[in-house]
Amino acid sequence: MNVEVRVTDSSKGKGLYAKCKILKESLIFEEDPLVSCQFSWNSAYRYLACDHCLRPLETAQENASRLSGHPIDLPYPECCTTDKSKFTKCSTCFTQYCSEECKTQALEQYHSIICLQTQDKNSAHPLEQLNEAWKQVHYPPETNSIFLIVRLLARILKAPNKEIAIAQTLQFCHRTVNEDADLAHKLLGDKFADQLSLLHNKFIAVVPHEGIEQFLSYEGFLSLLALIGTNGQGVGTSAISEWARNAESLLLSDDDKKVLDSFIDHLYQQMDENVGEFLNNEGVALYSLQSTCNHSCSPNAEPKFLHNNHRLSLVATQDIEEGEEIFISYLDECFLNRSRHSRMKELMRNYLFVCQCPKCESEADQEDVTSEEEEDMSE
């Protein structure tokens, strides 16, 4: 690989560094997650995705018709990459997968531990109780899922070497008990923080205990919530977006290109009017290598999902020299464009560190006001 993990100073612990020069827009690395899962409300709203890799389980035409609220006849159907002939299900619980490969990987890695031992997903099952409890404390827009923890622990139970699997999990945990508790409360928000004990009780009813006792105490549960809160990477997939990208790359005449562009613009307008910004199958995943990337408000790399599933591709957003540290942003683009004070407040609230990146250092003399206050002052 053209990158390596190095131990850095005590404040960051470790970081990812380039072993050779990496050019802008080039692929730095790709990796599949330790575990991933779809958001609970996203699934409840019929965003159909493979239960293992989040690949869409709709054709682009089905996806466009559902999101727009009426039948859509897509041109260039060959640009749709959904292959329904490969779809399959778990024979016990009927969980859906995009392929036999995904079903096999899920069964081998975690699914056989948590598979519903009935052909009916009834509300009395501990998994369904946990799902409903989580949905009531984590409304859209969703940022995480308690089932990432469930799959992470099931993965340990299924691992040939539990010690190695536990060590892989603990690589994400490096905070104090008090910091874990603070982050767990932040994950739910003040309105639902008092539901942590209820979630813990439903959580421990889901997976077997033998061999993972250290994670099942209340403190261990808070640590796992802090783990996914600080390391979970959002994943988005879309049948219609994949179709649009493929269609736009076709070699068409200028007139046909204009017709296609107009069709796509109108389609996205219709979908926006019907469902707003919620166009994608959305979920969250834990990545071993990507999690070693530190934050910068002026990052030189960006995670992307080029395969329309949970495989992460880290792409350089500028030239990176040999020996240079690779940074991503923990903040979305909206927050990156806010004031230094707003960015630092958000990073401290969600990740418990003070940013010392070049952008923040260069803006150190700015007044300590939030972006909202700046907007009020300018009116």
Side-chain angles (χ1 to χ4, degrees):
M1 296 184 66
N2 55 4
V3 296
E4 64 181 357
V5 178
R6 299 181 193 168
V7 176
T8 60
D9 58 68
S10 58
S11 64
K12 293 191 294 186
K14 57 187 176 182
L16 193 67
Y17 290 80
K19 294 170 64 177
C20 60
K21 182 168 183 175
I22 301 172
L23 299 179
K24 180 180 179 180
E25 297 184 356
S26 63
L27 183 66
I28 302 174
F29 68 79
E30 292 186 321
E31 69 171 325
D32 290 331
L34 294 183
V35 285
S36 66
C37 65
Q38 188 177 6
F39 290 144
S40 293
W41 282 108
N42 191 260
S43 175
Y45 287 144
R46 296 189 301 114
Y47 286 73
L48 302 179
C50 173
D51 194 64
H52 180 67
C53 78
L54 273 71
R55 185 181 296 279
L57 295 181
E58 293 177 300
T59 64
Q61 184 155 306
E62 290 169 338
N63 192 208
S65 297
R66 178 173 59 81
L67 294 176
S68 64
H70 61 83
I72 296 290
D73 187 17
L74 289 183
Y76 310 109
E78 68 275 12
C79 292
C80 175
T81 60
T82 303
D83 186 354
K84 287 194 167 188
S85 68
K86 294 182 178 180
F87 291 1
T88 187
K89 297 179 180 180
C90 171
S91 59
T92 301
C93 66
F94 299 157
T95 293
Q96 297 186 82
Y97 299 99
C98 68
S99 65
E100 283 290 337
E101 180 182 7
C102 272
K103 183 175 77 170
T104 299
Q105 289 180 0
L107 286 168
E108 291 177 348
Q109 294 175 16
Y110 57 84
H111 184 71
S112 62
I113 296 290
I114 55 178
C115 179
L116 292 174
Q117 296 305 307
T118 172
Q119 293 187 350
D120 297 315
K121 287 192 174 183
N122 59 76
S123 59
H125 194 282
L127 270 176
E128 292 303 314
Q129 291 187 33
L130 179 62
N131 187 43
E132 288 305 312
W134 178 254
K135 285 164 64 180
Q136 295 311 308
V137 300
H138 197 72
Y139 291 98
E142 297 171 274
T143 60
N144 231 301
S145 172
I146 198 169
F147 285 95
L148 201 60
I149 299 175
V150 174
R151 292 187 178 187
L152 192 61
L153 296 187
R155 179 180 177 275
I156 294 174
L157 292 170
K158 285 286 292 183
N161 188 317
K162 288 185 175 58
E163 289 73 22
I164 292 177
I166 289 173
Q168 288 176 325
T169 300
L170 292 177
Q171 72 174 312
F172 298 103
C173 305
H174 49 80
R175 296 167 300 272
T176 66
V177 172
N178 288 338
E179 287 175 332
D180 283 340
D182 189 35
L183 288 168
H185 280 78
K186 291 288 194 310
L187 181 62
L188 296 190
D190 293 338
K191 184 177 180 181
F192 299 114
D194 61 351
Q195 299 296 303
L196 282 167
S197 293
L198 172 65
L199 282 174
H200 176 241
N201 289 334
K202 292 188 178 299
F203 166 74
I204 60 176
V206 168
V207 293
H209 293 194
E210 186 176 354
I212 56 171
E213 291 85 356
Q214 69 191 89
F215 297 110
L216 298 177
S217 67
Y218 185 67
E219 291 74 20
F221 175 63
L222 296 184
S223 178
L224 290 171
L225 284 176
L227 182 161
I228 65 170
T230 53
N231 293 282
Q233 167 67 50
V235 179
T237 66
S238 169
I240 190 61
S241 294
E242 184 85 346
W243 170 87
R245 282 193 296 271
N246 292 336
E248 288 171 338
S249 67
L250 293 173
L251 297 177
L252 303 175
S253 68
D254 289 344
D255 287 344
D256 287 343
K257 180 68 173 174
K258 288 179 182 178
V259 171
L260 175 63
D261 290 343
S262 177
F263 177 88
I264 292 176
D265 288 345
H266 182 59
L267 173 61
Y268 272 92
Q269 181 181 350
Q270 290 178 301
M271 294 189 297
D272 181 70
E273 290 172 353
N274 191 47
V275 298
E277 62 185 23
F278 299 102
L279 297 180
N280 296 338
N281 301 323
E282 295 182 351
V284 63
L286 285 176
Y287 297 91
S288 182
L289 190 56
Q290 179 260 1
S291 70
T292 65
C293 292
N294 287 308
H295 165 83
S296 173
C297 296
S298 51
N300 53 19
E302 178 185 9
K304 294 187 176 183
F305 296 91
L306 305 177
H307 302 280
N308 211 23
N309 61 11
H310 67 191
R311 171 164 285 191
L312 181 144
S313 305
L314 193 68
V315 178
T317 56
Q318 60 190 58
D319 288 351
I320 302 172
E321 299 299 325
E322 181 180 353
E324 186 179 349
E325 186 170 1
I326 296 169
F327 292 100
I328 61 175
S329 173
Y330 297 175
L331 303 174
D332 61 27
E333 186 174 353
C334 178
F335 255 106
L336 280 181
N337 291 325
R338 294 189 179 183
S339 70
R340 173 181 182 269
H341 184 63
S342 291
R343 299 195 309 269
M344 296 187 81
K345 276 181 61 178
E346 186 72 2
L347 290 168
M348 177 57 70
R349 188 172 75 90
N350 292 307
Y351 300 99
L352 303 183
F353 72 86
V354 176
C355 186
Q356 297 177 321
C357 74
K359 182 176 181 179
C360 285
E361 292 294 299
S362 68
E363 298 172 353
D365 59 348
Q366 285 186 354
E367 188 176 356
D368 284 346
V369 293
T370 65
S371 295
E372 290 81 5
E373 289 168 342
E374 291 169 345
E375 292 169 1
D376 291 340
M377 290 168 61
S378 65
E379 290 178 353

